[in-house]
Amino acid sequence: MSTSLGTYLTRAGVPGDLSSVLLAVANSSVKVSDQLPFSAALTTNVNPSGERQTEIDIFANDEFAASLLATGSVAEVASEEMSESKKGSGKVHVAMDPLDGSSNISTNNPLGSIFGFYSGALPCSGLLLRGAAYLTYGPMLTLTFSTGAGVARFVAVRGADGSTEFTLLEDKIMIPLKGEVFGLGGPRNDWVEPVEHFVSSMEARGLKLRYGGTFVGDFNQVLGYGGIFGYPSLKKKPKGKLRILYEAAPMAYIMTQSGGYASDGHGDALLIEPTSLADTTPIYLGSPELVSELDSLIRAKDLGS
Ligand code: AHG
Ligand code: MN
Ligand code: MN
């Protein structure tokens, strides 16, 4: 007997406001997924991070923002694709990356959507996360989330009548402690030295490179096989590329809930205090021993410098 998302949330005692935003996100993801074949084109618009927006970036942003605000449970919706948050009448402060991996649309590689559910006004640190979720548009449409009691994954199943239901695929997901795969973004010759040294040592230990260019897709590889994903500090971009509120903190929350560890290279990534909505950070997430080992190398380099 499969467990629907609604039944699971009720049985797990997830607070009503978080349940309603998770259900809204799940419902909207089906519309985003169905729209993908028609909205791969680039627009002339640019987002607050200075990146050109695709039609699906905008479609997903508008779809998720509308359905989240319609729940009446959200205080605001901040988005990677908007310069200011949209205000609501509830208590959940939502920060979202409505479409993660936009560059992967034209090559039909995995895509995602990432959501952080904060208890305080944005921007704020990951310590104020009440929950986090991400969607994966891959071979399957899945919703992976935590509200503080472990990580669960649901898969979208389309019925004969054309309706879609999210049913439980896996509960209490735990990252393998032994790392098998690694993936770090950005040009290798631009990585700060400790990162380069660390990756060479992982290759020497036989870990396998897995890098697909979408945070969500690469995160899934690490969560499933054990290892480390990072978008590192670069010599030319010391604060890396991934946005704290919309990408790094929500995924750090989920990684921590799965028994993993997430760091900005100097400690727990959930402690980072962003000062603006689009602030970025270096981020390293995965099996705790590997991430802690990289922290130590970065710290040693700082002390030596
Ligand atoms: P987004 O499409 O939301 O801007 O995110 C893209 C991010 C992230 O998904 C991925 O890890 C990273 O960009 C890939 O960067 P590179 O193209 O530099 O590898
Ligand atoms: Mn992204
Ligand atoms: Mn995005």
Side-chain angles (χ1 to χ4, degrees):
M1 174 70 175
S2 61
T3 304
S4 72
L5 178 58
T7 304
Y8 178 93
L9 293 169
T10 305
R11 282 186 189 152
V14 174
D17 56 359
L18 284 183
S19 293
S20 64
V21 297
L22 283 164
L23 289 164
V25 155
N27 294 333
S28 290
S29 71
V30 179
K31 294 178 191 161
V32 171
S33 179
D34 289 348
Q35 187 64 24
L36 282 170
F38 313 104
S39 308
L42 267 178
T43 69
T44 53
N45 308 1
V46 172
N47 72 13
S49 299
E51 299 157 338
R52 279 206 41 206
Q53 292 176 317
T54 62
E55 288 169 354
I56 193 70
D57 279 324
I58 297 169
F59 179 90
N61 179 75
D62 296 351
E63 171 59 37
F64 285 124
S67 67
L68 285 162
L69 288 165
T71 63
S73 298
V74 305
E76 63 180 314
V77 179
S79 166
E80 176 187 286
E81 304 304 340
M82 299 190 297
S83 53
E84 288 174 18
S85 58
K86 290 187 173 179
K87 305 303 180 208
S89 54
K91 291 192 297 187
V92 185
H93 297 258
V94 182
M96 68 175 180
D97 175 1
L99 199 87
D100 174 59
S102 310
S103 61
N104 273 358
I105 298 171
S106 55
T107 51
N108 195 28
N109 286 103
L111 300 165
S113 300
I114 306 171
F115 302 86
F117 307 125
Y118 296 84
S119 60
L122 302 173
C124 65
S125 99
L127 289 179
L128 293 187
L129 278 165
R130 293 176 59 199
Y134 68 90
L135 295 153
T136 307
Y137 309 92
M140 300 181 283
L141 170 56
T142 57
L143 169 68
T144 307
F145 71 88
S146 176
T147 55
V151 179
R153 177 168 291 146
F154 286 75
V155 62
V157 177
R158 205 174 286 267
D161 62 357
S163 67
T164 299
E165 182 163 70
F166 278 79
T167 63
L168 183 63
L169 194 62
E170 198 177 343
D171 199 0
K172 301 281 181 258
I173 298 174
M174 297 298 285
I175 185 171
L177 297 181
K178 185 176 178 319
E180 276 193 38
V181 299
F182 70 92
L184 285 96
R188 186 164 187 151
N189 59 12
D190 198 16
W191 292 344
V192 292
E193 192 277 331
V195 170
E196 164 48 60
H197 174 81
F198 181 61
V199 168
S200 299
S201 79
M202 284 195 294
E203 287 168 330
R205 285 179 259 179
L207 277 83
K208 291 176 285 187
L209 171 63
R210 286 286 185 278
Y211 189 79
T214 293
F215 187 8
V216 162
D218 293 327
F219 183 94
N220 281 336
Q221 293 264 17
V222 168
L223 184 59
Y225 293 113
I228 186 169
F229 169 83
Y231 207 98
S233 173
L234 303 174
K235 293 168 195 157
K236 294 193 192 91
K237 279 179 86 175
K239 284 199 168 286
K241 172 180 184 180
L242 299 185
R243 279 107 334 186
I244 299 166
L245 275 182
Y246 310 125
E247 295 168 304
M251 299 301 262
Y253 179 91
I254 291 174
M255 179 53 75
T256 307
Q257 284 288 319
S258 74
Y261 173 47
S263 170
D264 63 353
H266 295 92
D268 187 342
L270 291 173
L271 301 176
I272 305 170
E273 290 278 0
T275 53
S276 89
L277 292 175
D279 272 1
T280 64
T281 179
I283 187 75
Y284 311 97
L285 318 94
S287 304
E289 272 185 33
L290 277 176
V291 181
S292 301
E293 183 183 340
L294 177 55
D295 272 7
S296 310
L297 291 170
I298 292 171
R299 207 173 287 124
K301 173 77 176 165
D302 290 350
L303 291 174
S305 59

